[in-house]
Every structure is written in structure tokens, then in C-alpha cells.
Amino acid sequence: VSGTIPETLEKLTKLNSLDLGQNQIVGSIPSHIGKLTNLEYADFSMNLIQSTIPSEIGELSQLIFLNLSDNNLIGGIPPQIGLLTNARVMDLRDNKLSYALPTQIGSLSNLEELYLQENSLLGPLPTQIGSLKNLKVLNISENFVFDTIPKEILHLRSLLSLDLSANLLSGYLPNNMKKLSNLHYLHLNNNFLLDRDDGEQKWPPNLVEMNVSSNYFKSIISKADELPTSLLRLDLSENIISGPIPPSLSSLSNLEFLNLSSNSLRAALPYTMGQMTSLKALDLSWNRLEGSIPSEIGSFVGLQSLDLSFNLFLGSIPSEIGALKSLAYFDLTNNYVSGAIPAEIWTMDSLERLHLSVNSINGSISSFPVINKNFTEIVISLNLLSGTIPSDIVMMSTLRLLDLSSNILYGDIPSELWAMHSLEVLKLSHNFFNVPTIPSQIKALNQLKVLSISDSYIIGTLPSELFLLKSLRSIDLSRNYITGNVPSEIGMAESMVELDLSENSMIGAIPSAFWYLNVEELNLYGNKFVGRIQTVVSRMSSLRKLNIGMNFMSGSIPSEIGELSLLRYLVLASNSFTGTLPIEIESLKNLEVIDIENTKISGSFPNSFCEQDVVLNFSCGQIECPCCKPGACIPPRSLMPSVPMHEDDAPLSRPNN
């Protein structure tokens, strides 16, 4: 159904049920809706209605169910809403309603479910909300409600679920929340709330799920034995909790999900945590936990997800981890773990995602004791792994992500690797492989999205088959010994977003098709390319970073470069470019860096570059820069590395503001 709600609707005065949900209705909710005084059920959800809620809605005195969700309703909730005293369910979620909740909301004495999430409501919660004695579900998440949570909310003794997350609430929680004895689900995350440390913070005794993440809770973990033992899910992440994890936490023996990430927890893991045998997911990442990983970790027999990343753990991975027969995700990224990967890791049939990057893990992976065919992600970059990549890795038939970059691996990349059809991301950079060339068999990786084998001693030419991979979005083959021309098939790489072939020995002119790529980042620095920047460069409308410095390119800079409105980094240094800097370059309002040092480009930088605070790199006497500080130019020299493509690199010179 499409179109507007007809005026003739007002004639249906005996109508008691109206369901117009999930249509294409536009326009407004007509004021004559108030004439349907026998209406008990009204559903206008999931339409395209864009209007205020008419005050006449308060005339529907028999209404039990009202659903206006998933529209584009604007303005405030009319105070007349309080006249709907028979209403049991009211759903206004996912609109653009604003202003404060009307105090008349407290008159809805029969209301059982109230959904107001995903709007733009603001102001404090009215104390009158405590009058909703029959309310079981209250959701006001994702609004702009501020001030403290009123103590009157403790009068809602029938409440089963309370969600005030993603607002601007602040201050302490009300005392004696244990009065909410029926409450099972409490979501207060993403606010500015504080917890009490005076012993007066009493929690609802029958809570099943509590999420208070992204607040300013401090002492809740130190009083873990006061939390209800009925809890199955507890999220305390992104607070300011410090100190050790107390042994009393193990009293929550029914807990299945525990997230303590992004706090300031210190000291070693208490061995008593091994008593929490019901845990299925444990996240302790982004803390300062230290010491070795205790062997008691093998007691978490039901654990499916374990995240210990970004801590200070030492020692080796305990072999007892092999007892976790249900573990699907294991993350130890960014710690100080050393030693070899225990053989038990490779025999865990349930393990799908293994992340061990940024540690000091050593030993060889030249062979696997047993192949786990269920792996989807193996990330062990920035470690001290040695040996060769085993050929039986091809047996991991579901592997999507393989990152072994920045290790001490050597030898041949096994030919079997190029036949792994499931691979989407392959990163082998910064190793010591013997790679005569990237083989044409790479065409079998038809799901590949990311290929990174930089700084890995690759020689030979690029196979044309590489650019026929339709899913490929990012290629980094920089700092190798690749020779030859860019294959003309590069124009077929329609999904390419990032291409880095810098610091190789590639030659020849860049194919015309190259300039039709819709890439965002292009780095050809440090090769032996010749030819010109073609005028069709304007077709690269998504380009943000262009580095063709340190080549043998020539000709003038085409005025069409000014059409690259998203361009932020332009590096043309150390080439044979001539002519005047085109005035159209002033159109590059997003430009942050321009490097034309050691070229023959002349002219003048536009004054607008001063206002944009563009980093300018140019040779003295090369080009005029009225706004630059004295000495901003670079003395002439034969060769100089150009401004890097990375945002966090220090500028070489800045305009004088």
C-alpha cells in the first residue's frame, strides 16, 4: 500500500483494529484519527510517514496497542499521550522524535511495554515515570536523555527489562536497586554513570544480563560477591576499573559471558577464575594484566571465545589450552608471549580464528601435527616464527585470512598456497622468501581481496592474471625486485582500492587503462616509470593519495588534476615534470601534502594553500610561495625521498599563517 492515509478513514467510527504496517505510506497521521474512538489496535509501523504525532491521538481512549515505529515522525511526543490510559503496548522507536518526555507519560497506568529507542529525545527522565506500576519493558536507548536516573524508577516493581543505554545520563545510580526484584535485563552502557563505593549499591537480585560498559564505574569489580549469582552475561568494558581481578569474581558461577576489556586491570589472572566453568566468552583485552597465562585456563571447558589481547602477559601459551574443545576464537595479540605455539593449538577442531600477532613467539611452523580443517583466520604477524610455510596448509580448505607477515620465514612459498580458493586476505610481507615471481596460478584465488607481500625479495614480472581477480581490493608488493612493465590488464581491476608497487624496478610507460582505475590510494614511488600523467586522470574520482615520486616521468601536470576533489596527498617529486603548476590545483580543498621537490615545475602556489595549512615540499628558486615562512624551501639536490604517504609523518615545511 502506498500514498497517504485517506480522509475517509474518519468514517470508520466502529473500527477497532487498524493495521497499516510495513507499507509505503507517506504524508502524515491525520488529525481525524481521533474520531476512531473504538480503536483498540493501531499499527502504522515501517512506513514513510513524516509528520508530528497529532494531539488528537489522545482521543483514542480504548487504544490498547499503538505502534508508530520505523517512520520519520518529528517533533515532541504530545502530552495528550497521557490520555491513553488503557494502552498496554506503545512503540515509537526509530523515528526523529525530539524534546523531553512529557510528564503525562506517568498517567499510562496500564502500560506494560514502552519502546522509545533510536530517537532524539532529550532532557531528564520525568519522575512521573515511576507511576507506571505495570511496566515490564522500558527502552529509551539511543537518545539524548541527560541528568541522573531518578530514584522513582525503583517504583517499577514489575519491570523485567530496562534499557537506558547510549544517552547522556550521569551521576550515581539510585540506591537499593534490589527493589527491582523482577528485573532480568539491565542495559545502562554508553553513558556517564558512576557506581557507588560506599556499600549502598545494591543490585537487582534476579538479573540475568547486565551491560554497564562505557561509563565511569570504578569499584564494581571489587565487590563482585555482591553481584547477583543469577547473572549469565556481564559487560563491564570501557570503564575505569583498576587493580587486580578479585578471586570473589569466581562466585558468579553461572556466568556465560564476561567482558572486562578496556579498563586498567593489573596483576596476574587469579587461579580461582578456573572455577567459572560455565563461561562461553571471556574478554580481558586492553588492560595491563601480567604474568603467565595460568594452566587453569584449561578448566574453561565450555569456552568458545577467549580474548587476552593488548595486555602484558609473559611466558608461553600453556598446553592446557588444548582442553578447550569448544574454543572457536583465541586472541593473544600484542603481549609479551614467547616460546613455540603448542602442538595442541593445531589439533583443536573447534578453533576457527587464531590471532597471535605482536608477540615473541618463535619456533617453526614447517609442519602441522594434525590439520584442523576448520580454520578461517590465522594471524601470527610480528613474531619470530622461522622455517618454511608447510605445503599441507592447503588442507585448511576454509581458510579466509592468513597473515604471517614480519617473521623470519624463508624458502619457497608453496605452490599449494596459490590454490587455496577460500583465501580472501593473504599477508606474507617482511620475511625472507625465495619468490622467483608471482605465479600465474594466482588466478585460482578468485575470492582474494587483499594481497600483501612487500619487502620479501620477489623478482620477475607481474602476471597479468593478478589483475583479473575480480574481488581484489588491495595490493601491496612494495620494496621488492619486481621488473618489467605494468600489465595492460590492470584496467580490469575494477574493485581495486589500494595499489602499492613502490620501490621496485618496474619500467616503461604506465598503460592508458591505468588512469581509469577508481582507486583511493596509488603508490608507484621509486621505480623507473616514464611517460606523462594523462588527462584522463580526472576519472580517478575516488583518489585520495597519489605518489609517483622518484621515477622518470615527464611532461606538464594536466589541469584535470584539479578535478580530483578528494585528493589529500600529491607526491610528484624527483621526476622530470616541466611546465607551470596548473591554477586548477586550487580546487583541491582537501589537499594536505604536495611534494614537487626536484622537478622543473614552476609557477606559484595558490594563497588558499595557506588557509588549508597544506604541507609544501619544493626546491628553492623553483616556485613562488608568497605565504611560506622564510627558508621553507629545500636547497637543490639531485635526489631526495619524497613526503611519505602516511598521515602521521612529520611535515617538511608549512605555510606561514
Side-chain angles (χ1 to χ4, degrees):
V1 177
S2 59
T4 59
I5 299 172
E7 293 184 7
T8 52
L9 185 66
E10 65 180 298
K11 297 179 181 180
L12 303 177
T13 55
K14 295 183 179 181
L15 190 68
N16 61 20
S17 180
L18 176 61
D19 188 349
L20 296 175
Q22 302 185 53
N23 284 293
Q24 299 291 315
I25 296 172
V26 297
S28 62
I29 299 174
S31 58
H32 58 71
I33 190 78
K35 295 183 179 180
L36 305 182
T37 54
N38 288 302
L39 203 60
E40 296 179 358
Y41 180 100
D43 188 349
F44 296 89
S45 64
M46 300 181 71
N47 280 288
L48 303 171
I49 299 171
Q50 187 171 0
S51 71
T52 58
I53 300 174
S55 60
E56 289 80 3
I57 204 164
E59 298 173 18
L60 305 178
S61 58
Q62 303 301 312
L63 200 62
I64 296 174
F65 179 94
L66 175 63
N67 190 349
L68 304 178
S69 65
D70 293 279
N71 280 287
N72 292 303
L73 297 174
I74 58 175
I77 299 173
Q80 291 82 0
I81 205 89
L83 299 174
L84 304 180
T85 54
N86 286 309
R88 294 182 182 175
V89 177
M90 187 175 294
D91 193 345
L92 307 180
R93 81 182 83 182
D94 199 7
N95 280 288
K96 298 177 181 178
L97 297 169
S98 55
Y99 304 111
L101 265 177
T103 58
Q104 291 82 357
I105 201 93
S107 300
L108 304 176
S109 56
N110 288 302
L111 199 63
E112 296 180 1
E113 300 178 26
L114 177 59
Y115 303 97
L116 301 173
Q117 66 265 36
E118 297 179 70
N119 279 287
S120 298
L121 299 171
L122 69 161
L125 285 176
T127 58
Q128 290 82 359
I129 206 165
S131 300
L132 305 180
K133 306 293 186 182
N134 292 302
L135 198 63
K136 296 179 180 178
V137 179
L138 175 59
N139 192 332
I140 318 181
S141 62
E142 297 185 58
N143 280 282
F144 298 97
V145 178
F146 56 79
D147 213 337
T148 58
I149 299 175
K151 64 180 183 300
E152 286 79 7
I153 208 162
L154 301 180
H155 298 162
L156 306 179
R157 305 296 174 82
S158 299
L159 206 58
L160 297 174
S161 176
L162 174 61
D163 192 343
L164 302 177
S165 62
N167 277 287
L168 303 172
L169 294 166
S170 59
Y172 291 102
L173 298 183
N175 283 337
N176 293 320
M177 289 189 71
K178 67 179 181 180
K179 291 180 179 180
L180 301 177
S181 57
N182 289 304
L183 194 65
H184 288 171
Y185 303 96
L186 176 62
H187 289 231
L188 302 175
N189 49 291
N190 295 89
N191 279 289
F192 301 90
L193 296 167
L194 307 167
D195 63 334
R196 298 181 179 276
D197 56 4
D198 55 7
E200 296 299 320
Q201 190 71 74
K202 305 298 182 183
W203 298 102
N206 294 302
L207 275 180
V208 173
E209 182 174 313
M210 182 164 75
N211 187 346
V212 293
S213 62
S214 299
N215 278 289
Y216 290 94
F217 280 40
K218 183 178 181 180
S219 59
I220 184 171
I221 196 74
S222 64
K223 298 180 175 62
D225 54 351
E226 296 179 6
L227 291 168
T229 56
S230 55
L231 275 171
L232 299 180
R233 297 177 64 88
L234 177 60
D235 191 342
L236 304 177
S237 61
E238 297 184 54
N239 278 284
I240 54 172
I241 303 169
S242 60
I245 297 175
S248 58
L249 187 65
S250 61
S251 64
L252 302 177
S253 57
N254 294 311
L255 211 57
E256 296 180 356
F257 174 94
L258 176 60
N259 190 347
L260 299 176
S261 65
S262 301
N263 280 286
S264 298
L265 294 168
R266 294 176 178 270
L269 291 180
Y271 70 90
T272 53
M273 286 194 73
Q275 299 170 19
M276 304 176 73
T277 55
S278 296
L279 274 178
K280 295 181 180 178
L282 176 60
D283 190 346
L284 302 176
S285 62
W286 291 95
N287 281 285
R288 298 186 65 79
L289 296 167
E290 56 193 43
S292 59
I293 301 170
S295 58
E296 285 81 5
I297 204 163
S299 301
F300 298 135
V301 291
L303 204 62
Q304 298 171 9
S305 175
L306 176 60
D307 192 344
L308 304 177
S309 62
F310 294 91
N311 278 287
L312 305 173
F313 288 117
L314 300 166
S316 58
I317 302 171
S319 59
E320 286 82 359
I321 199 164
L324 307 184
K325 301 301 183 183
S326 299
L327 194 66
Y329 174 63
F330 181 37
D331 195 341
L332 257 179
T333 302
N334 212 310
N335 279 280
Y336 294 91
V337 174
S338 58
I341 300 172
E344 289 80 2
I345 286 280
W346 306 113
T347 64
M348 298 168 67
D349 290 339
S350 61
L351 194 58
E352 298 175 2
R353 301 166 62 199
L354 176 64
H355 290 238
L356 304 176
S357 293
V358 198
N359 281 285
S360 298
I361 296 170
N362 53 38
S364 173
I365 59 166
S366 298
S367 63
F368 300 118
V370 178
I371 290 295
N372 171 7
K373 298 181 180 180
N374 295 317
F375 272 119
T376 59
E377 298 177 7
I378 296 178
V379 183
I380 321 180
S381 60
L382 283 160
N383 277 285
L384 302 172
L385 291 177
S386 59
T388 59
I389 299 176
S391 60
D392 51 2
I393 195 171
V394 73
M395 300 297 292
M396 298 180 180
S397 57
T398 59
L399 195 63
R400 298 196 310 267
L401 166 57
L402 178 62
D403 186 353
L404 301 176
S405 55
S406 300
N407 279 285
I408 318 175
L409 299 171
Y410 54 84
D412 295 333
I413 295 177
S415 58
E416 290 84 356
L417 189 63
W418 308 113
M420 297 183 69
H421 303 286
S422 60
L423 268 182
E424 297 179 10
V425 178
L426 177 59
K427 295 184 176 183
L428 302 175
S429 299
H430 308 291
N431 279 288
F432 299 91
F433 294 119
N434 175 26
V435 188
T437 186
I438 295 177
S440 60
Q441 288 89 336
I442 197 171
K443 64 184 178 182
L445 303 183
N446 53 18
Q447 302 297 318
L448 196 65
K449 297 177 181 177
V450 177
L451 175 65
S452 178
I453 320 182
S454 65
D455 198 12
S456 294
Y457 299 92
I458 300 174
I459 60 176
T461 60
L462 292 179
S464 59
E465 289 82 358
L466 174 63
F467 300 104
L468 299 179
L469 297 173
K470 298 297 184 183
S471 298
L472 200 57
R473 295 175 56 83
S474 176
I475 295 177
D476 183 359
L477 298 175
S478 61
R479 296 185 297 280
N480 281 293
Y481 299 94
I482 299 171
T483 59
N485 299 81
V486 176
S488 59
E489 287 81 0
I490 194 169
M492 304 292 290
E494 299 174 354
S495 299
M496 190 71 64
V497 175
E498 300 174 356
L499 177 60
D500 191 345
L501 300 176
S502 62
E503 297 185 60
N504 280 285
S505 299
M506 301 189 72
I507 61 173
I510 298 172
S512 299
F514 187 94
W515 302 106
Y516 288 87
L517 291 176
N518 201 28
V519 295
E520 295 179 6
E521 299 185 15
L522 176 58
N523 193 349
L524 303 178
Y525 171 84
N527 280 280
K528 300 176 182 178
F529 291 120
V530 298
R532 298 169 176 262
I533 300 175
Q534 299 184 20
T535 58
V536 289
V537 68
S538 61
R539 296 179 62 94
M540 305 176 82
S541 57
S542 298
L543 197 62
R544 289 170 169 79
K545 298 182 180 181
L546 174 62
N547 189 342
I548 51 177
M550 199 73 79
N551 279 283
F552 297 97
M553 299 187 69
S554 59
S556 59
I557 308 304
S559 60
E560 287 80 2
I561 206 164
E563 299 178 30
L564 303 178
S565 59
L566 299 178
L567 195 65
R568 294 165 53 199
Y569 291 76
L570 177 60
V571 180
L572 308 174
S574 300
N575 278 286
S576 299
F577 292 122
T578 58
T580 304
L581 192 70
I583 59 173
E584 289 81 2
I585 204 166
E586 189 173 7
S587 301
L588 302 179
K589 301 302 181 185
N590 290 303
L591 196 65
E592 298 176 14
V593 173
I594 180 170
D595 184 355
I596 57 171
E597 193 268 336
N598 201 22
T599 68
K600 297 179 181 179
I601 299 172
S602 60
S604 177
F605 286 125
N607 288 331
S608 61
F609 280 6
C610 298
E611 301 170 6
Q612 294 173 224
D613 200 24
V614 178
V615 175
L616 307 173
N617 188 13
F618 61 101
S619 301
C620 294
Q622 174 188 5
I623 198 166
E624 295 181 13
C625 182
C627 60
C628 287
K629 295 178 181 179
C633 62
I634 299 172
R637 45 191 152 173
S638 58
L639 287 177
M640 176 191 167
S642 59
V643 176
M645 299 270 284
H646 304 291
E647 300 177 34
D648 54 353
D649 286 303
L652 297 180
S653 61
R654 285 192 178 276
N656 183 9
N657 292 326

